[in-house]
Amino acid sequence: MEALHNVQFRLASRPVGLPTDSNWQRISEPVRDLADGEVLVKTQYLSLDPAMRGWMNDAKSYIRPVAIGEVMRAGGIGEVVASKSPKFAVGDIVTGGLGVQSYWTGAADDRSAALAKIDTRLAPATVWTNTLGMPGMTAYFGLLEVGQPKAGETVVVSGAAGAVGQTVGQVAKQLGCRVVGIAGGKDKCDFVVNELGFDACIDYKAGDIRGGLKEHCPQGIDVYFDNVGGEILDTVLTRINMKARIVICGAISQYNNTTPVKGPANYLSLLVNRARMEGMVVFDYADRYHVAIAQLGTWLKEGKIKSREDVVEGIDQFPQALTMLFEGKNFGKLVLKVA
Amino acid sequence: MEALHNVQFRLASRPVGLPTDSNWQRISEPVRDLADGEVLVKTQYLSLDPAMRGWMNDAKSYIRPVAIGEVMRAGGIGEVVASKSPKFAVGDIVTGGLGVQSYWTGAADDRSAALAKIDTRLAPATVWTNTLGMPGMTAYFGLLEVGQPKAGETVVVSGAAGAVGQTVGQVAKQLGCRVVGIAGGKDKCDFVVNELGFDACIDYKAGDIRGGLKEHCPQGIDVYFDNVGGEILDTVLTRINMKARIVICGAISQYNNTTPVKGPANYLSLLVNRARMEGMVVFDYADRYHVAIAQLGTWLKEGKIKSREDVVEGIDQFPQALTMLFEGKNFGKLVLKVA
């Protein structure tokens, strides 16, 4: 058998602002032999997520930064193509922290990779990067555990056509809430309302977020699930109800700032409304992912919710694909098809 | 009997920035006769509070603004000097929304005044404006219900020598927490540590809040009770622990801004640390004030906590006294002695 070659994208330098090609080093090297207990996984799909931008900074956060010279961290789906572990057999489809590379080699029980078999009969592999993957888990636990919506309440979610936002809104609809999305552009808003079944969607690119919230949230806002931060968060704060819950999941508008993060100037609305703003990180719910997968998988099968992915082909498209996230160019969960 | 004259301070105009003399109209008018069900209360002490600045703005908040031409809203302690109500007898000492005036006239059951008898044998009248009044209630319920400190945790409170801060810290000590105050100036910090028994106090005027937090909160910060907002809130956010609770009680550093409020730029620390920031307004706990008064009154009697007031004499000192709050000149709860 010819030697397999592993194409990798390693972090070459830390970006200032939006990542550029010069931040990456593309390497092609032979795949090494397996030691006992190891497996070789051929990457099929990589999940591209806003959080990746944070991992590129040399800053204390909920996870250590990617080191210079290290393969870029990424979750993905792959096929076990060689195994010296009883844990996985050749042909198994797994999810895990494969990194931005075409092959992953390591111990079957490696904790940072956290490989786990998935059932592609329940849903296609791409859905396992989305509704049944980290974005879906983030949406499910962030909404239910932190947002705690009740039937009849109004839930607003930003990044509504994105990976996390689409599931937040659809789950909130299943719970009997009024759901209003915020997304960029008419096409995304049409999709969010017509395909995903949100009650309304506000196009932030059209400019009048405040007017949109006033029109579409006549009873005020009980839960705001924030993926974007910045001006949108600040505007939502002016329309929250008493005892509102704001879930801080991300702040994509701020990740490439070269100036300080814009703090929410209207945060004293929390005081006036006895409201709370609370952060969440999906990893905290790892021991209950199976619960969310079972529920979301059932709703998917029943056609009650949808999973929308935007697939870019070819590992060499990685640098360009990543920037799509920050320019709002992806339509649904952004996935890189590697093999 | 000679006609009694009531000296009032009415809101003449809305301030831009720090209130000035021109915002007030001083009026002296005869006290009117009582109708059936009414009482006449002679003001003894008025409570001067940072929240008063907010009531002067024409903005939607947790309470309606004071109208132009209306007597300035203020809580106080007074003596019932005439009564046509069975609810109060001449000689009763009451607490309530007396306003900045030397006499209050109105229905004994007036809801906005919310007159209630106090027992000055339990504590002197000034303490009823402080530890046993709104500041104490704010401290008690804000800390216990929103901050939810556990023994052994580290609690930080800003405005530590002020009305709310002093009780927050002392109650947290009673609960077995490590307590670190933030206050302005060496005298206040010495008082907070030596008289109130906090474990440490950081002098924000000396400049190095970050260094102080690092030194005095070696285990990080579990609960932050914020009375000030601005740079101090932002700095505390960099030192919070996982699952930390930030109680938003006030933001005195921002109340006289003529520029937009400074939002907490480090709010994404809430995400990294799965922490929450929650607002509170003391009125929500009115049906349980008696519980707090009983507990705080017991601790006061036992000498376990102290109540420190800074008394300014004379109703005509009201405009100057109010600005003392925003200049950090008061040392303890600021009280205006009227009669």
Side-chain angles (χ1 to χ4, degrees):
Chain A
M1 179 170 108
E2 224 180 327
L4 296 170
H5 274 265
N6 182 21
V7 175
Q8 305 178 320
F9 278 84
R10 296 176 177 234
L11 188 64
S13 62
R14 302 203 181 276
V16 176
L18 202 64
T20 64
D21 286 357
S22 70
N23 299 127
W24 306 110
Q25 183 183 21
R26 182 188 186 280
I27 284 182
S28 177
E29 60 178 25
V31 169
R32 66 171 170 78
D33 291 339
L34 295 186
D36 274 351
E38 289 193 330
V39 294
L40 176 64
V41 178
K42 184 178 184 182
T43 308
Q44 296 177 328
Y45 296 97
L46 290 174
S47 172
L48 301 190
D49 298 287
M52 295 168 82
R53 180 62 188 84
W55 305 340
M56 299 170 75
N57 292 337
D58 188 19
K60 190 184 163 223
S61 188
Y62 61 93
I63 195 168
R64 71 166 180 79
V66 175
I68 299 294
E70 188 181 5
V71 175
M72 180 61 194
R73 182 185 294 136
I77 307 289
E79 182 182 359
V80 176
V81 292
S83 177
K84 287 195 174 180
S85 161
K87 205 174 162 196
F88 297 104
V90 169
D92 283 351
I93 306 299
V94 295
T95 176
L98 304 179
V100 183
Q101 55 187 347
S102 49
Y103 289 93
W104 182 89
T105 309
D109 57 0
D110 182 277
R111 286 186 54 180
S112 65
L115 299 185
K117 271 187 249 192
I118 61 167
D119 181 354
T120 51
R121 291 167 306 181
L122 183 60
T126 50
V127 173
W128 284 92
T129 69
N130 189 18
T131 309
L132 300 183
M134 287 302 114
M137 301 300 102
T138 303
Y140 187 89
F141 291 105
L143 181 67
L144 270 64
E145 299 285 325
V146 184
Q148 301 177 0
K150 291 184 275 291
E153 288 190 330
T154 298
V155 174
V156 172
V157 56
S158 54
V164 173
Q166 62 181 252
T167 299
V168 167
Q170 291 182 96
V171 170
K173 281 304 296 178
Q174 292 298 316
L175 299 174
C177 298
R178 174 171 181 80
V179 179
V180 176
I182 302 174
K186 185 175 185 310
D187 286 354
K188 286 183 183 173
C189 284
D190 286 348
F191 164 73
V192 161
V193 172
N194 299 331
E195 296 294 316
L196 302 183
F198 287 32
D199 295 290
C201 189
I202 299 163
D203 176 7
Y204 73 83
K205 289 185 176 170
D208 187 14
I209 302 165
R210 186 180 300 263
L213 291 171
K214 207 164 174 179
E215 178 183 351
H216 297 298
C217 306
Q219 310 293 325
I221 299 166
D222 300 293
V223 176
Y224 174 52
F225 194 107
D226 189 29
N227 293 304
V228 303
E231 286 297 333
I232 293 177
L233 170 58
D234 236 347
T235 305
V236 169
L237 277 165
T238 66
R239 307 285 311 165
I240 59 174
N241 285 337
M242 290 281 284
K243 293 279 175 192
R245 290 80 70 196
I246 296 178
V247 184
I248 301 295
C249 176
I252 196 170
S253 73
Q254 304 294 306
Y255 291 169
N256 293 293
N257 277 7
T258 52
T259 52
V261 165
K262 186 193 169 327
N266 296 322
Y267 83 103
L268 288 174
S269 175
L270 298 177
L271 189 161
V272 172
N273 294 296
R274 297 80 156 156
R276 71 175 151 82
M277 182 183 281
E278 183 166 351
M280 65 90 53
V281 173
V282 67
F283 306 140
D284 296 350
Y285 303 94
D287 61 347
R288 287 191 285 153
Y289 287 169
H290 64 281
V291 175
I293 289 170
Q295 178 64 80
L296 295 168
T298 301
W299 282 336
L300 281 167
K301 282 213 152 187
E302 295 173 352
K304 290 182 175 166
I305 66 172
K306 294 179 182 175
S307 184
R308 161 95 180 214
E309 297 86 35
D310 188 341
V311 179
V312 173
E313 295 218 16
I315 194 167
D316 285 339
Q317 298 305 310
F318 167 69
Q320 285 67 40
L322 185 66
T323 62
M324 286 173 64
L325 285 172
F326 305 109
E327 291 165 348
K329 288 186 180 161
N330 58 303
F331 197 145
K333 163 69 190 169
L334 187 62
V335 179
L336 191 66
K337 185 174 180 182
V338 176
Chain B
M1 179 170 107
E2 220 179 329
L4 295 171
H5 273 266
N6 182 22
V7 175
Q8 304 178 321
F9 278 85
R10 295 175 177 234
L11 188 63
S13 60
R14 302 203 182 278
V16 177
L18 202 65
T20 65
D21 286 357
S22 71
N23 300 126
W24 305 112
Q25 182 183 22
R26 183 187 185 280
I27 284 183
S28 178
E29 61 178 26
V31 168
R32 68 171 169 80
D33 291 338
L34 295 187
D36 273 351
E38 288 193 330
V39 294
L40 175 64
V41 179
K42 183 177 185 183
T43 308
Q44 295 178 331
Y45 295 96
L46 290 174
S47 173
L48 301 190
D49 298 285
M52 295 168 83
R53 179 63 187 83
W55 306 340
M56 299 169 76
N57 293 336
D58 187 18
K60 190 185 162 222
S61 188
Y62 60 92
I63 195 168
R64 71 167 180 78
V66 175
I68 298 294
E70 187 180 6
V71 175
M72 181 61 193
R73 183 184 293 136
I77 307 289
E79 181 182 357
V80 176
V81 291
S83 177
K84 288 195 173 178
S85 162
K87 205 176 161 196
F88 298 103
V90 169
D92 282 349
I93 306 297
V94 296
T95 177
L98 304 180
V100 183
Q101 56 187 345
S102 48
Y103 288 93
W104 182 90
T105 309
D109 57 1
D110 182 277
R111 285 185 56 180
S112 65
L115 299 185
K117 270 187 247 192
I118 60 169
D119 181 355
T120 52
R121 290 166 308 180
L122 182 60
T126 52
V127 173
W128 284 93
T129 70
N130 188 18
T131 309
L132 299 184
M134 286 302 114
M137 301 301 102
T138 303
Y140 187 88
F141 291 105
L143 181 67
L144 270 64
E145 299 286 323
V146 184
Q148 300 177 358
K150 291 183 275 291
E153 288 191 328
T154 298
V155 174
V156 172
V157 56
S158 54
V164 173
Q166 62 180 253
T167 299
V168 168
Q170 292 183 95
V171 170
K173 281 304 295 177
Q174 292 299 316
L175 299 173
C177 298
R178 175 171 180 80
V179 179
V180 177
I182 302 175
K186 186 175 184 310
D187 286 353
K188 286 184 183 173
C189 284
D190 287 348
F191 164 72
V192 161
V193 172
N194 299 331
E195 296 295 317
L196 303 183
F198 287 31
D199 295 289
C201 188
I202 299 163
D203 176 7
Y204 73 83
K205 290 186 175 170
D208 187 14
I209 302 164
R210 187 180 299 264
L213 292 171
K214 206 164 175 177
E215 177 183 350
H216 297 299
C217 308
Q219 311 294 322
I221 299 165
D222 300 294
V223 176
Y224 174 52
F225 195 107
D226 189 30
N227 293 305
V228 303
E231 286 298 331
I232 293 178
L233 170 57
D234 236 347
T235 304
V236 170
L237 277 164
T238 67
R239 307 286 312 164
I240 59 174
N241 285 337
M242 290 279 285
K243 293 278 174 192
R245 289 81 69 196
I246 296 178
V247 185
I248 302 294
C249 175
I252 197 171
S253 73
Q254 305 295 306
Y255 291 169
N256 294 294
N257 278 6
T258 52
T259 53
V261 165
K262 186 192 167 329
N266 296 322
Y267 84 103
L268 288 173
S269 176
L270 298 176
L271 190 162
V272 172
N273 294 296
R274 296 80 156 158
R276 70 175 152 81
M277 181 183 281
E278 185 166 350
M280 65 90 53
V281 173
V282 67
F283 306 140
D284 296 350
Y285 304 95
D287 61 346
R288 288 191 285 152
Y289 286 169
H290 66 280
V291 175
I293 288 170
Q295 176 65 79
L296 294 168
T298 301
W299 281 336
L300 281 167
K301 282 215 153 186
E302 294 173 349
K304 289 182 176 167
I305 66 173
K306 293 177 182 174
S307 184
R308 162 95 179 216
E309 297 85 36
D310 188 341
V311 180
V312 174
E313 296 218 16
I315 195 166
D316 285 337
Q317 297 306 309
F318 167 69
Q320 286 66 39
L322 186 66
T323 62
M324 286 174 64
L325 285 172
F326 305 109
E327 291 165 348
K329 287 185 181 162
N330 58 306
F331 196 145
K333 163 67 192 172
L334 188 62
V335 180
L336 191 67
K337 185 173 180 181
V338 175

